[in-house]
């Protein structure tokens, strides 16, 4: 995952780490923190950078899903 280009934008670059059973953690290259859902899981919560947990908490692991394109 990358947002922005150039060597000075490490705060906008992410790497995916495998977590459990097909889930991934996204870690910021600049801060070393993980992409996290503030306050828990669900719709409407803000995305933040937060300390990564060793096994991955429910609000800092992500499951990629495929959704068919519909018109």
């Amino acid at each position: 995952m990358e947002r922005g280009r150039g060597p000075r934008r490490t705060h906008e670059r992410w790497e995916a780490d495998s977590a459990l059973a097909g889930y991934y953690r996204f870690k910021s290259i600049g801060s070393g923190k993980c992409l996290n859902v503030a306050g828990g899981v669900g719709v409407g919560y803000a995305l933040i950078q937060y300390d990564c947990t060793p096994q991955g908490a429910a609000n800092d692991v992500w499951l990629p899903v495929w959704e068919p394109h519909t018109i």
Side-chain angles (χ1 to χ4, degrees):
M1 178 181 345
E2 182 173 327
R3 193 180 146 239
R5 299 261 186 235
R8 296 183 188 164
R9 296 185 182 252
T10 57
H11 64 285
E12 296 178 344
R13 297 181 61 199
W14 300 82
E15 62 184 6
D17 290 334
S18 181
L20 301 170
Y23 285 80
Y24 293 86
R25 292 185 307 178
F26 291 97
K27 186 185 285 188
S28 169
I29 292 174
S31 69
K33 294 186 176 192
C34 285
L35 183 64
N36 184 284
V37 181
V41 296
V43 177
Y45 291 105
L47 298 179
I48 60 170
Q49 291 185 34
Y50 198 76
D51 293 333
C52 300
T53 58
Q55 295 299 318
N59 61 337
D60 71 2
V61 293
W62 304 87
L63 179 64
V65 295
W66 177 78
E67 292 186 8
H69 179 72
T70 59
I71 298 178

